[in-house]
């Protein structure tokens, strides 16, 4: 008598409610007499199984058998099924079968309302293969080797004993014992290249530390204070905890957060373009400004002119749609980028101006009576201050070429 067959009989009866002895015999490739002996064994073990004779009869379990005897409440059953549904695609191998069995066990069918896919856009198959290989290495306790690219840009070959996968902050990480460092290390999975799972097995127990020790200072981290324009709200709330965010009366968003102090930090801050300002610490602000200036020098064309510089500063189409629904990028009086809705001027009826900033135009009228030359002289200082390496004469020459194209100064 197979204990596995006894359990599967119970599972089938829970899922299908009733089956004939002949159907069970065919399923397990045994005789009907063997099935009846199994039914007797289950009954002797306290399982409330019974048979009915005649047409429509068969073998069945008393209603609510599992619910009466299991340790799961209805809410716990729902949570367990939801947990299986929410497994990432890369970790779902075998989960669908388990989900079907548990649904039968609990006699409930949950709506398939949840799907989790944590792979990167355009990299589904590659990410799933890597995830599956790492999962195999962890569960089979096999060493792994790969090439790793650090946040400092260094490329090294690593041989590790993989311990666990962790998803944190929009990324997967591998925690493993590194043979080279003779200590636990955390590797970002997207930067693991040429991964191979070795035949070598290990038996030593692995217990990596928490990926982030709450309350303990990070020796390689820095606390930064940032100010974002309202246009960046979609990223701010995507990428920072709400408790770190404070909204100013102007609509700007202040964020205080602790981040790793390495090259990744500056690349991350630069990804916000001109929509983010570093308030503290000064060292991070200075280094970011220098990197931005270096980027400008490497990418700007000689004698590109002010209008060309403006084009380089234009936001993405997504940001434009948030920043300025009228599609206008620059103030048509002073050339100021209209990146922040709070700086857009107003018409006489209080509606936003399509063309001008509030410093040049308010309540349907220009705020100052000046010539184009006077406006250029006024704007030279701010342009020099915001463009490292530019002299006042260069700024004046470029604005003299650019300003005649603006609506206020354009001649018919």
């Amino acid at each position: 008598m197979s204990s596995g067959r006894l359990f599967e009989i119970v599972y089938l009866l829970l899922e299908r409610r009733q089956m004939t002895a002949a159907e069970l015999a065919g399923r397990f490739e045994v005789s009907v007499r063997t099935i009846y002996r199994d039914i007797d064994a289950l009954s002797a073990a306290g399982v409330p199984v019974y048979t009915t004779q005649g047409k429509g009869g068969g073998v069945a379990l008393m209603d609510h058998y599992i619910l009466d005897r299991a340790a799961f409440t209805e809410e716990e059953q729902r949570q367990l099924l939801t947990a299986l549904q929410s497994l990432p695609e890369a970790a779902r191998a075998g989960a669908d079968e388990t989900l079907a069995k548990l649904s039968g066990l609990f006699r409930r069918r949950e709506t398939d309302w949840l799907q989790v896919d944590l792979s990167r856009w355009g990299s589904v198959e590659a990410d799933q293969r890597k995830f599956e290989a790492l999962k195999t290495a962890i569960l089979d306790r096999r060493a792994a080797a790969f090439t790793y690219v650090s946040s400092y840009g260094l490329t090294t070959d690593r041989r590790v004993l993989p311990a666990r996968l962790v998803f944190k902050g929009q990324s997967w990480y591998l925690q493993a014992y590194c043979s080279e460092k003779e200590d636990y290390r955390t590797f970002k999975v997207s930067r693991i290249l040429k991964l191979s799972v070795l035949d070598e097995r290990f038996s030593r127990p692995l217990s990596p530390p928490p990926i982030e020790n709450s309350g303990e200072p990070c020796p390689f981290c820095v606390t930064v204070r940032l100010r974002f324009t309202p246009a960046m709200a979609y990223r701010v709330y995507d990428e920072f905890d709400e408790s770190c965010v404070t909204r100013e009366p102007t609509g700007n968003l202040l964020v205080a957060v602790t981040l790793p102090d390495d090259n990744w930090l500056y690349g991350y801050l630069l990804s916000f373009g001109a929509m983010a300002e570093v308030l503290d610490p000064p060292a991070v602000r200075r280094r970011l400004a220098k990197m931005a200036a270096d980027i400008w020098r490497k990418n700007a064309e000689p004698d590109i002119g002010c209008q060309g510089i403006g084009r380089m500063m234009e936001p993405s189409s997504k940001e434009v749609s948030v920043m300025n629904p009228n599609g206008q990028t620059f103030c048509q009086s002073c050339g100021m980028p209209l990146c922040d809705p709070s700086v857009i001027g107003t018409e006489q009826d209080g509606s936003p101006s399509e063309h001008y900033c509030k410093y040049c135009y308010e309540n349907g009228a220009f705020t100052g009576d000046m010539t184009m030359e006077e406006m250029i002289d006024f704007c030279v200082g701010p342009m020099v201050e915001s463009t490292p390496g530019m002299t006042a004469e260069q700024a004046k020459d470029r604005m003299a070429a650019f300003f005649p194209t603006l609506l206020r100064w354009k001649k018919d």
Side-chain angles (χ1 to χ4, degrees):
M1 184 179 299
S2 167
S3 58
R5 187 172 67 240
L6 294 178
F7 171 79
E8 200 159 351
I9 287 173
V10 173
Y11 157 66
L12 286 170
L13 294 177
L14 284 166
E15 184 183 44
R16 303 186 185 183
R17 296 190 178 273
Q18 181 175 290
M19 294 180 70
T20 65
E23 287 173 336
L24 289 168
R27 172 65 181 261
F28 298 108
E29 298 181 345
V30 298
S31 67
V32 171
R33 181 174 294 181
T34 298
I35 292 298
Y36 280 123
R37 282 200 296 266
D38 289 342
I39 300 303
D40 289 338
L42 289 170
S43 181
V47 177
V49 60
Y50 65 93
T51 61
T52 55
Q53 303 296 321
K55 186 177 180 180
V59 183
L61 290 169
M62 292 183 64
D63 288 341
H64 309 302
Y65 159 61
I66 290 299
L67 292 180
D68 289 341
R69 295 176 62 85
F72 296 107
T73 65
E74 285 202 20
E75 180 60 26
E76 289 169 338
Q77 293 169 28
R78 185 178 293 109
Q79 290 172 355
L80 183 56
L81 296 176
T82 298
L84 283 172
Q85 286 180 324
S86 65
L87 281 175
E89 290 295 319
R92 247 184 116 81
D96 290 335
E97 184 179 349
T98 305
L99 183 61
K101 287 184 177 181
L102 285 176
S103 296
L105 194 68
F106 296 147
R107 292 191 175 182
R108 63 189 309 144
R109 294 290 179 188
E110 291 297 305
T111 303
D112 188 12
W113 63 277
L114 181 64
Q115 182 178 2
V116 178
D117 186 351
L118 299 177
S119 58
R120 296 168 296 171
W121 289 102
S123 303
V124 175
E125 292 185 4
D127 284 352
Q128 288 184 353
R129 285 196 299 271
K130 187 184 293 185
F131 189 97
E132 190 63 31
L134 290 171
K135 184 180 78 170
T136 298
I138 293 169
L139 297 180
D140 293 350
R141 301 185 68 77
R142 291 163 59 184
F146 51 79
T147 299
Y148 188 67
V149 182
S150 74
S151 58
Y152 294 97
L154 299 176
T155 301
T156 56
D157 293 327
R158 301 295 185 101
R159 179 189 167 280
V160 302
L161 306 182
R164 66 185 172 203
L165 287 163
V166 179
F167 185 81
K168 181 175 179 60
Q170 303 179 335
S171 299
W172 280 106
Y173 296 89
L174 170 69
Q175 288 191 285
Y177 184 86
C178 179
S179 301
E180 178 189 356
K181 303 297 183 182
E182 297 185 341
D183 200 357
Y184 289 103
R185 290 291 186 268
T186 297
F187 304 94
K188 194 170 185 177
V189 172
S190 60
R191 296 205 295 262
I192 292 177
L193 311 176
K194 303 177 182 177
L195 171 67
S196 61
V197 179
L198 308 178
D199 293 332
E200 175 190 346
R201 296 180 181 270
F202 61 92
S203 57
R204 62 175 293 173
L206 297 177
S207 181
I211 194 167
E212 180 180 63
N213 292 316
S214 179
E216 295 185 13
C218 172
F220 306 109
C221 291
V222 62
T223 298
V224 292
R225 290 180 60 246
L226 309 168
R227 176 183 285 124
F228 296 92
T229 66
M232 283 291 102
Y234 73 98
R235 280 193 63 183
V236 169
Y237 289 110
D238 274 352
E239 300 172 28
F240 301 104
D241 187 83
E242 188 177 356
S243 62
C244 302
V245 183
T246 304
R247 185 178 288 272
E248 293 185 309
T250 60
N252 290 330
L253 301 165
L254 297 178
V255 173
V257 64
T258 300
L259 297 169
D261 187 13
D262 55 24
N263 289 340
W264 171 88
L265 171 63
Y266 296 93
Y268 178 66
L269 294 176
L270 286 169
S271 73
F272 292 96
M275 308 303 137
E277 176 188 1
V278 177
L279 303 178
D280 281 309
V284 172
R285 181 184 177 97
R286 286 193 298 270
R287 184 176 176 188
L288 188 70
K290 183 180 183 305
M291 293 177 73
D294 290 342
I295 291 171
W296 182 85
R297 279 193 292 270
K298 288 179 180 178
N299 291 278
E301 299 175 16
D303 302 321
I304 192 170
C306 186
Q307 191 170 15
I309 293 173
R311 283 197 299 269
M312 290 193 301
M313 296 174 61
E314 287 181 3
S316 69
S317 57
K318 180 175 182 179
E319 291 166 351
V320 166
S321 66
V322 177
M323 292 185 295
N324 194 340
N326 298 312
Q328 192 69 42
T329 305
F330 299 100
C331 173
Q332 296 297 294
S333 172
C334 68
M336 174 183 177
L338 297 178
C339 300
D340 187 339
S342 67
V343 304
I344 296 176
T346 57
E347 298 295 343
Q348 191 170 6
D349 61 1
S351 62
S353 169
E354 289 189 52
H355 306 297
Y356 301 107
C357 72
K358 68 180 182 181
Y359 305 107
C360 295
Y361 192 80
E362 277 284 273
N363 300 320
F366 291 111
T367 57
D369 185 15
M370 61 177 66
T371 65
M372 183 182 77
E373 289 71 22
E374 289 172 331
M375 178 65 78
I376 290 175
D377 289 339
F378 179 79
C379 293
V380 165
M383 188 171 184
V384 170
E385 184 180 346
S386 63
T387 312
M390 179 177 287
T391 65
E393 195 62 33
Q394 289 172 327
K396 191 169 185 177
D397 289 344
R398 293 182 180 184
M399 283 189 284
F402 175 47
F403 272 42
T405 68
L406 299 178
L407 185 64
R408 183 177 182 181
W409 315 115
K410 186 182 294 185
K411 295 181 180 179
D412 297 332

